[in-house]
Amino acid sequence: MPLESRPEKSQRPSSQLQRRIEKKLDARREQHLLRKVSAFHHQDGKLVDGDNLSYLNFSGNDYLGLAQDPSVIAAWQEGLTKYGAGSTASPLVTGFTHAHQDLEQALCDWLGFDQAILFNSGFSANQAVIFSLLEKSDVLLQDKLNHASLMEAGMLSEAKMQRFTHNSIEKLDALLRSNANAPARFVVTEGVFSMDGDLSPLADIKFRCEAHDAWLMVDDAHGIGVLGDEGQGSAHIANVKPDILIVTFGKAFGMMGAAVMCSESVHQYLTQFARHYVYSTAMPPAQAYALSHALSMVKSQTWRREKLAVLSACFHSALSDCSEVINTITPIKPVVLGSVERMQTVAQRLKKTGFLTGAIRPPTVPANTARLRITLSVNQSEAQVSDLAASLRRCIEEGA
Ligand SMILES: Cc1ncc(COP(=O)(O)O)c(C=O)c1O
């Protein structure tokens, strides 16, 4: 381009983009909503930060305590020896091994589905299903508190998305009725809500779906492994078999990845049309091997779920009169503090006393419901949970 026809430096798209980036970051900073990544390492059951300060972790999703479990680590190491470091290709090329096949079969046996199809994350599994199954004129109905991966898929999908009030059967029913003429109706809910720790009324939802010829998909990222005699999750305890069940391995399984549990035909369909599956390198076979081992532990080691129940009772009995604490039967314990400033003050005070909790702010949760997301894990002791509860009470009482 001749020199004279080049745009001024300040008007060049790149600098406009730079200004936009800075403006948006400034806005986040001013609203106290800027997120930060910090590096930690694990030492003696604690998290240690860059300043060598150590904390008890009440903010993760390792509910069953498998992430640091020696036998899970050993299984992954054994898998590496058997299969090597990576899968080398997408599943449809040569990335699918017997380790993947064994894991899929074990998941089907455990959860009572005909087929399972593995993904590298829950985020991609959710997006793959919604993008590939739904077409223009279809209707996607989602609980308002569904995870960002589901909401974003709905926003980008060609289908019409409508959201119903959290856990409201009436609102869902009204939307199903008003969309009776759509070619397909697809209802999506979490089984256990990630930021609230409450359960979806799955039996009622399934009943409405059947009445209106709608499909039901349940994302059970936070229920699987935690609920049910063998950890089969929220759908199992509600005695519901959704059309599609999303299982993730980044929470109770202590690792990462996900599976879509489905019928034979949906499996075949996703194998043809789910781009996150077809065009992405398969998870390492060593990981699939370790996940099969973790699955056998999740199923058989009921003491882990029993311990979570003991810790949960301990937490709630210590804080039964604390109105900010929401009572849940899951390991997710929201402490709703309202403003971001108040939440951050309490989170910082807790951190100073050695407890890391999830500091959750909008847009992850609705405005004015900033909260601590306290999570329980089998790795914690009753004494540690009691100490956290006492510390939390003091930090709230000190005022914002
Ligand atoms: C309900 C829910 N679904 C999906 C995901 C995404 O799963 P993954 O972390 O495996 O991508 C999350 C993660 O936080 C989640 O909470």
Side-chain angles (χ1 to χ4, degrees):
M1 190 190 282
L3 207 58
E4 63 279 11
S5 57
R6 276 194 197 152
E8 283 291 300
K9 192 171 175 219
S10 60
Q11 288 168 2
R12 277 191 219 146
S14 62
S15 51
Q16 279 185 25
L17 183 56
Q18 186 61 34
R19 276 204 303 280
R20 192 194 310 158
I21 289 169
E22 277 156 18
K23 207 170 140 197
K24 289 206 165 180
L25 286 174
D26 285 345
R28 278 256 159 131
R29 220 169 271 123
E30 277 158 26
Q31 295 165 301
H32 305 284
L33 295 178
L34 198 69
R35 302 167 197 264
K36 247 177 62 192
V37 182
S38 312
F40 293 97
H41 68 269
H42 291 261
Q43 195 179 304
D44 304 328
K46 290 192 169 184
L47 284 183
V48 182
D49 70 9
D51 297 325
N52 226 14
L53 297 169
S54 60
Y55 306 94
L56 283 170
N57 186 12
F58 280 86
S59 64
N61 298 312
D62 181 23
Y63 306 125
L64 297 183
L66 295 185
Q68 299 292 327
D69 186 276
S71 81
V72 175
I73 295 168
W76 203 324
Q77 285 164 338
E78 200 181 312
L80 286 168
T81 307
K82 268 176 126 115
Y83 297 99
S87 68
T88 75
S90 69
L92 288 174
V93 183
T94 51
F96 190 74
T97 67
H98 290 110
H100 298 90
Q101 196 171 37
D102 291 347
L103 174 59
E104 288 185 352
Q105 189 55 55
L107 287 164
C108 290
D109 296 345
W110 181 43
L111 297 170
F113 279 79
D114 291 340
Q115 287 291 346
I117 178 164
L118 298 175
F119 283 83
N120 285 320
S121 71
F123 204 104
S124 60
N126 280 340
Q127 302 231 319
V129 172
I130 290 177
F131 287 152
S132 58
L133 277 187
L134 299 184
E135 297 183 355
K136 207 169 171 188
S137 313
D138 291 342
V139 169
L140 168 65
L141 302 178
Q142 298 216 52
D143 187 290
K144 273 197 171 160
L145 296 190
N146 275 357
H147 188 255
S149 54
L150 296 163
M151 286 303 171
E152 195 201 59
M155 286 186 286
L156 299 176
S157 155
E158 291 200 328
K160 175 172 94 175
M161 177 168 77
Q162 293 187 313
R163 303 187 309 157
F164 54 93
T165 311
H166 177 50
N167 278 349
S168 168
I169 298 296
E170 291 69 30
K171 291 282 190 266
L172 170 62
D173 200 50
L175 289 177
L176 284 166
R177 279 177 202 285
S178 63
N179 287 294
N181 294 327
R185 285 159 296 284
F186 196 74
V187 176
V188 183
T189 182
E190 292 183 28
V192 171
F193 285 86
S194 56
M195 295 298 140
D196 293 73
D198 58 342
L199 271 60
S200 168
L202 289 180
D204 284 348
I205 291 184
K206 178 69 178 165
F207 181 76
R208 301 300 156 126
C209 286
E210 278 172 359
H212 295 279
D213 189 25
W215 277 30
L216 172 62
M217 170 164 127
V218 176
D219 173 352
D220 208 20
H222 298 275
I224 205 76
V226 167
L227 301 172
D229 290 346
E230 292 187 350
Q232 305 98 314
S234 61
H236 176 84
I237 62 166
N239 204 17
V240 161
K241 184 166 177 200
D243 298 283
I244 293 174
L245 176 69
I246 305 293
V247 174
T248 69
F249 306 128
K251 278 86 182 164
F253 277 71
M255 280 178 266
M256 66 178 300
V260 176
M261 308 304 301
C262 58
S263 65
E264 193 68 51
S265 56
V266 170
H267 180 269
Q268 265 188 29
Y269 183 90
L270 292 175
T271 306
Q272 312 307 313
F273 299 112
R275 287 192 292 273
H276 298 73
Y277 183 72
V278 177
Y279 299 110
S280 188
T281 303
M283 75 167 60
Q287 183 185 337
Y289 186 79
L291 281 167
S292 288
H293 178 76
L295 170 50
S296 69
M297 293 173 73
V298 168
K299 252 170 95 166
S300 62
Q301 299 186 348
T302 46
W303 65 267
R304 292 181 188 269
R305 285 176 285 281
E306 284 160 12
K307 176 155 185 206
L308 277 180
V310 169
L311 297 180
S312 180
C314 171
F315 179 82
H316 285 302
S317 77
L319 294 164
S320 57
D321 58 335
C322 190
S323 61
E324 289 87 351
V325 175
I326 310 296
N327 207 317
T328 69
I329 63 158
T330 66
I332 302 169
K333 307 296 180 194
V335 182
V336 180
L337 294 163
S339 72
V340 174
E341 289 81 355
R342 185 174 180 222
M343 179 275 291
Q344 278 179 328
T345 304
V346 177
Q348 282 306 323
R349 282 182 191 147
L350 273 171
K351 197 172 169 194
K352 279 198 184 125
T353 56
F355 297 103
L356 272 189
T357 56
I360 313 291
R361 62 208 85 193
T364 306
V365 290
N368 304 318
T369 69
R371 67 196 61 189
L372 300 181
R373 178 178 181 269
I374 290 177
T375 49
L376 302 178
S377 163
V378 165
N379 287 335
Q380 298 150 0
S381 67
E382 273 186 80
Q384 289 170 341
V385 171
S386 297
D387 287 350
L388 165 81
S391 198
L392 175 63
R393 176 187 291 284
R394 273 195 307 276
C395 292
I396 292 177
E397 282 171 2
E398 279 171 30

Short mmCIF file of all heavy atoms in Angstrom, two decimals, residues 61 63 120-126 145-150 190-195 219-222 246-251 255-258 373, ligand 1:
data_model
loop_
_atom_site.label_atom_id
_atom_site.label_comp_id
_atom_site.label_asym_id
_atom_site.label_seq_id
_atom_site.Cartn_x
_atom_site.Cartn_y
_atom_site.Cartn_z
N ASN A 61 -12.71 -28.76 42.94
CA ASN A 61 -13.83 -29.68 42.62
C ASN A 61 -13.42 -31.14 42.79
O ASN A 61 -14.09 -32.04 42.28
CB ASN A 61 -14.28 -29.47 41.17
CG ASN A 61 -14.79 -28.06 40.94
OD1 ASN A 61 -15.59 -27.56 41.72
ND2 ASN A 61 -14.32 -27.41 39.89
N TYR A 63 -13.89 -33.47 44.69
CA TYR A 63 -14.77 -33.85 45.80
C TYR A 63 -14.35 -35.16 46.47
O TYR A 63 -14.40 -35.29 47.68
CB TYR A 63 -16.22 -33.99 45.31
CG TYR A 63 -16.74 -32.76 44.60
CD1 TYR A 63 -17.26 -32.84 43.31
CD2 TYR A 63 -16.70 -31.51 45.21
CE1 TYR A 63 -17.73 -31.71 42.65
CE2 TYR A 63 -17.16 -30.37 44.56
CZ TYR A 63 -17.67 -30.49 43.28
OH TYR A 63 -18.13 -29.37 42.62
N ASN A 120 -12.55 -34.27 25.22
CA ASN A 120 -11.41 -33.79 26.01
C ASN A 120 -11.81 -32.88 27.17
O ASN A 120 -11.01 -32.62 28.05
CB ASN A 120 -10.41 -33.06 25.11
CG ASN A 120 -9.63 -34.07 24.30
OD1 ASN A 120 -9.26 -35.12 24.81
ND2 ASN A 120 -9.42 -33.79 23.03
N SER A 121 -13.03 -32.38 27.15
CA SER A 121 -13.50 -31.56 28.27
C SER A 121 -15.02 -31.54 28.27
O SER A 121 -15.66 -31.83 27.25
CB SER A 121 -12.98 -30.12 28.16
OG SER A 121 -13.64 -29.45 27.10
N GLY A 122 -15.57 -31.19 29.42
CA GLY A 122 -17.02 -31.03 29.53
C GLY A 122 -17.47 -29.88 28.64
O GLY A 122 -18.56 -29.92 28.04
N PHE A 123 -16.64 -28.84 28.57
CA PHE A 123 -16.99 -27.68 27.75
C PHE A 123 -17.20 -28.12 26.29
O PHE A 123 -18.20 -27.78 25.66
CB PHE A 123 -15.85 -26.64 27.84
CG PHE A 123 -16.28 -25.24 27.56
CD1 PHE A 123 -16.45 -24.32 28.58
CD2 PHE A 123 -16.53 -24.82 26.25
CE1 PHE A 123 -16.85 -23.01 28.31
CE2 PHE A 123 -16.92 -23.51 25.98
CZ PHE A 123 -17.08 -22.61 27.01
N SER A 124 -16.25 -28.90 25.77
CA SER A 124 -16.39 -29.30 24.36
C SER A 124 -17.51 -30.32 24.18
O SER A 124 -18.20 -30.30 23.15
CB SER A 124 -15.06 -29.82 23.80
OG SER A 124 -14.62 -30.92 24.53
N ALA A 125 -17.74 -31.19 25.15
CA ALA A 125 -18.84 -32.16 25.03
C ALA A 125 -20.18 -31.43 24.93
O ALA A 125 -21.02 -31.72 24.06
CB ALA A 125 -18.84 -33.11 26.22
N ASN A 126 -20.37 -30.43 25.80
CA ASN A 126 -21.63 -29.68 25.78
C ASN A 126 -21.82 -28.97 24.45
O ASN A 126 -22.91 -28.97 23.86
CB ASN A 126 -21.63 -28.64 26.91
CG ASN A 126 -21.97 -29.27 28.26
OD1 ASN A 126 -22.55 -30.36 28.30
ND2 ASN A 126 -21.63 -28.62 29.34
N LEU A 145 -29.59 -20.89 35.14
CA LEU A 145 -28.30 -20.97 35.83
C LEU A 145 -27.36 -22.00 35.22
O LEU A 145 -26.35 -22.35 35.82
CB LEU A 145 -28.52 -21.27 37.32
CG LEU A 145 -29.27 -20.21 38.12
CD1 LEU A 145 -29.20 -20.50 39.61
CD2 LEU A 145 -28.74 -18.79 37.85
N ASN A 146 -27.69 -22.48 34.01
CA ASN A 146 -26.80 -23.46 33.37
C ASN A 146 -25.40 -22.88 33.13
O ASN A 146 -25.24 -21.66 32.97
CB ASN A 146 -27.39 -23.92 32.03
CG ASN A 146 -28.38 -25.06 32.22
OD1 ASN A 146 -28.59 -25.54 33.32
ND2 ASN A 146 -28.99 -25.49 31.13
N HIS A 147 -24.45 -23.78 33.05
CA HIS A 147 -23.04 -23.42 32.89
C HIS A 147 -22.77 -22.64 31.59
O HIS A 147 -23.47 -22.82 30.60
CB HIS A 147 -22.22 -24.72 32.88
CG HIS A 147 -20.75 -24.51 32.92
ND1 HIS A 147 -19.95 -24.69 31.81
CD2 HIS A 147 -19.93 -24.15 33.93
CE1 HIS A 147 -18.69 -24.46 32.15
NE2 HIS A 147 -18.64 -24.13 33.43
N ALA A 148 -21.72 -21.83 31.63
CA ALA A 148 -21.36 -20.98 30.48
C ALA A 148 -21.19 -21.79 29.19
O ALA A 148 -21.52 -21.30 28.10
CB ALA A 148 -20.07 -20.24 30.80
N SER A 149 -20.68 -23.01 29.29
CA SER A 149 -20.47 -23.81 28.06
C SER A 149 -21.80 -24.11 27.38
O SER A 149 -21.87 -24.16 26.14
CB SER A 149 -19.76 -25.12 28.40
OG SER A 149 -20.46 -25.84 29.41
N LEU A 150 -22.84 -24.30 28.17
CA LEU A 150 -24.17 -24.60 27.62
C LEU A 150 -24.81 -23.34 27.07
O LEU A 150 -25.41 -23.32 25.98
CB LEU A 150 -25.06 -25.21 28.70
CG LEU A 150 -24.59 -26.56 29.25
CD1 LEU A 150 -25.27 -26.89 30.57
CD2 LEU A 150 -24.87 -27.66 28.22
N GLU A 190 -28.50 -28.61 34.37
CA GLU A 190 -27.47 -29.28 35.16
C GLU A 190 -28.18 -30.19 36.15
O GLU A 190 -29.32 -29.91 36.55
CB GLU A 190 -26.62 -28.25 35.91
CG GLU A 190 -25.77 -27.41 34.99
CD GLU A 190 -24.85 -26.42 35.71
OE1 GLU A 190 -24.45 -26.68 36.86
OE2 GLU A 190 -24.52 -25.39 35.11
N GLY A 191 -27.51 -31.25 36.58
CA GLY A 191 -28.10 -32.13 37.60
C GLY A 191 -27.90 -31.52 38.98
O GLY A 191 -28.81 -31.46 39.81
N VAL A 192 -26.67 -31.03 39.22
CA VAL A 192 -26.33 -30.27 40.43
C VAL A 192 -25.77 -28.95 39.93
O VAL A 192 -24.84 -28.95 39.10
CB VAL A 192 -25.25 -31.00 41.26
CG1 VAL A 192 -24.73 -30.12 42.38
CG2 VAL A 192 -25.79 -32.32 41.80
N PHE A 193 -26.30 -27.85 40.41
CA PHE A 193 -25.87 -26.55 39.88
C PHE A 193 -24.54 -26.13 40.51
O PHE A 193 -24.38 -26.14 41.74
CB PHE A 193 -26.97 -25.51 40.08
CG PHE A 193 -28.08 -25.73 39.10
CD1 PHE A 193 -29.10 -26.62 39.38
CD2 PHE A 193 -28.05 -25.14 37.85
CE1 PHE A 193 -30.09 -26.89 38.45
CE2 PHE A 193 -29.03 -25.40 36.91
CZ PHE A 193 -30.06 -26.28 37.21
N SER A 194 -23.61 -25.75 39.62
CA SER A 194 -22.22 -25.61 40.04
C SER A 194 -21.99 -24.47 41.03
O SER A 194 -21.10 -24.57 41.86
CB SER A 194 -21.33 -25.40 38.81
OG SER A 194 -21.77 -24.30 38.06
N MET A 195 -22.76 -23.40 40.94
CA MET A 195 -22.52 -22.26 41.81
C MET A 195 -23.49 -22.23 42.99
O MET A 195 -23.38 -21.39 43.88
CB MET A 195 -22.65 -20.94 41.02
CG MET A 195 -21.60 -20.80 39.95
SD MET A 195 -19.95 -20.77 40.68
CE MET A 195 -19.05 -21.76 39.51
N ASP A 219 -26.50 -32.24 32.32
CA ASP A 219 -25.06 -32.08 32.53
C ASP A 219 -24.82 -32.35 34.02
O ASP A 219 -25.17 -31.53 34.87
CB ASP A 219 -24.64 -30.66 32.14
CG ASP A 219 -23.18 -30.36 32.50
OD1 ASP A 219 -22.54 -31.19 33.17
OD2 ASP A 219 -22.69 -29.29 32.10
N ASP A 220 -24.23 -33.51 34.30
CA ASP A 220 -24.07 -33.90 35.71
C ASP A 220 -22.63 -33.75 36.19
O ASP A 220 -22.13 -34.55 36.99
CB ASP A 220 -24.57 -35.34 35.91
CG ASP A 220 -25.07 -35.57 37.33
OD1 ASP A 220 -25.40 -34.57 38.02
OD2 ASP A 220 -25.14 -36.73 37.77
N ALA A 221 -21.99 -32.70 35.71
CA ALA A 221 -20.58 -32.46 36.07
C ALA A 221 -20.35 -32.54 37.58
O ALA A 221 -19.35 -33.09 38.04
CB ALA A 221 -20.14 -31.09 35.55
N HIS A 222 -21.30 -32.02 38.37
CA HIS A 222 -21.09 -31.94 39.83
C HIS A 222 -21.85 -33.00 40.62
O HIS A 222 -21.75 -33.04 41.84
CB HIS A 222 -21.44 -30.53 40.32
CG HIS A 222 -20.57 -29.49 39.72
ND1 HIS A 222 -19.34 -29.15 40.23
CD2 HIS A 222 -20.72 -28.75 38.59
CE1 HIS A 222 -18.78 -28.23 39.47
NE2 HIS A 222 -19.59 -27.97 38.45
N ILE A 246 -24.33 -35.90 30.37
CA ILE A 246 -22.94 -35.46 30.25
C ILE A 246 -22.23 -35.76 31.57
O ILE A 246 -22.67 -35.34 32.64
CB ILE A 246 -22.85 -33.93 29.98
CG1 ILE A 246 -23.67 -33.54 28.74
CG2 ILE A 246 -21.39 -33.48 29.87
CD1 ILE A 246 -23.14 -34.06 27.43
N VAL A 247 -21.15 -36.51 31.45
CA VAL A 247 -20.34 -36.87 32.61
C VAL A 247 -18.99 -36.19 32.43
O VAL A 247 -18.41 -36.27 31.35
CB VAL A 247 -20.13 -38.41 32.60
CG1 VAL A 247 -19.17 -38.82 33.70
CG2 VAL A 247 -21.46 -39.13 32.76
N THR A 248 -18.51 -35.52 33.46
CA THR A 248 -17.18 -34.90 33.30
C THR A 248 -16.18 -35.52 34.28
O THR A 248 -16.57 -36.02 35.34
CB THR A 248 -17.20 -33.37 33.47
OG1 THR A 248 -17.46 -33.07 34.83
CG2 THR A 248 -18.24 -32.71 32.59
N PHE A 249 -14.92 -35.48 33.91
CA PHE A 249 -13.88 -36.13 34.73
C PHE A 249 -12.99 -35.12 35.45
O PHE A 249 -11.98 -35.50 36.04
CB PHE A 249 -13.02 -37.04 33.84
CG PHE A 249 -13.82 -38.05 33.05
CD1 PHE A 249 -13.67 -38.17 31.67
CD2 PHE A 249 -14.74 -38.86 33.68
CE1 PHE A 249 -14.40 -39.09 30.94
CE2 PHE A 249 -15.50 -39.79 32.95
CZ PHE A 249 -15.32 -39.91 31.58
N GLY A 250 -13.33 -33.86 35.39
CA GLY A 250 -12.50 -32.83 36.02
C GLY A 250 -12.91 -32.54 37.45
O GLY A 250 -12.27 -31.74 38.13
N LYS A 251 -13.98 -33.19 37.90
CA LYS A 251 -14.45 -32.92 39.27
C LYS A 251 -14.21 -34.16 40.14
O LYS A 251 -13.10 -34.40 40.55
CB LYS A 251 -15.93 -32.51 39.23
CG LYS A 251 -16.14 -31.04 38.89
CD LYS A 251 -16.18 -30.72 37.47
CE LYS A 251 -16.35 -29.23 37.26
NZ LYS A 251 -16.03 -28.78 35.94
N MET A 255 -9.54 -35.76 37.45
CA MET A 255 -8.67 -35.60 36.27
C MET A 255 -9.28 -34.57 35.30
O MET A 255 -9.62 -33.48 35.70
CB MET A 255 -8.46 -36.95 35.60
CG MET A 255 -7.41 -37.75 36.31
SD MET A 255 -7.17 -39.36 35.60
CE MET A 255 -8.23 -40.30 36.63
N MET A 256 -9.44 -34.95 34.04
CA MET A 256 -10.13 -34.06 33.10
C MET A 256 -10.70 -34.89 31.96
O MET A 256 -10.38 -36.07 31.83
CB MET A 256 -9.20 -32.98 32.56
CG MET A 256 -8.08 -33.51 31.71
SD MET A 256 -7.04 -32.21 31.05
CE MET A 256 -8.19 -31.26 30.09
N GLY A 257 -11.54 -34.25 31.14
CA GLY A 257 -12.20 -34.96 30.05
C GLY A 257 -13.68 -35.13 30.36
O GLY A 257 -14.16 -34.69 31.41
N ALA A 258 -14.39 -35.76 29.43
CA ALA A 258 -15.84 -35.91 29.60
C ALA A 258 -16.35 -37.04 28.72
O ALA A 258 -15.64 -37.51 27.81
CB ALA A 258 -16.55 -34.61 29.21
N ARG A 373 -17.70 -19.69 47.07
CA ARG A 373 -18.10 -21.06 46.73
C ARG A 373 -17.14 -21.95 47.51
O ARG A 373 -16.01 -22.16 47.12
CB ARG A 373 -18.01 -21.29 45.23
CG ARG A 373 -18.37 -22.70 44.80
CD ARG A 373 -18.28 -22.82 43.28
NE ARG A 373 -18.65 -24.15 42.82
CZ ARG A 373 -17.79 -25.16 42.64
NH1 ARG A 373 -16.51 -24.96 42.90
NH2 ARG A 373 -18.22 -26.32 42.22
C1 LIG B 1 -21.84 -27.75 35.02
C2 LIG B 1 -20.56 -27.76 34.26
N1 LIG B 1 -20.55 -28.24 33.00
C3 LIG B 1 -19.44 -28.27 32.27
C4 LIG B 1 -18.25 -27.81 32.77
C5 LIG B 1 -17.03 -27.83 31.93
O1 LIG B 1 -16.33 -29.00 32.19
P1 LIG B 1 -14.77 -29.08 31.90
O2 LIG B 1 -14.10 -28.39 33.04
O3 LIG B 1 -14.52 -30.54 31.84
O4 LIG B 1 -14.54 -28.38 30.62
C6 LIG B 1 -18.19 -27.32 34.08
C7 LIG B 1 -16.90 -26.84 34.62
O5 LIG B 1 -16.77 -26.10 35.53
C8 LIG B 1 -19.37 -27.28 34.84
O6 LIG B 1 -19.37 -26.80 36.09
#
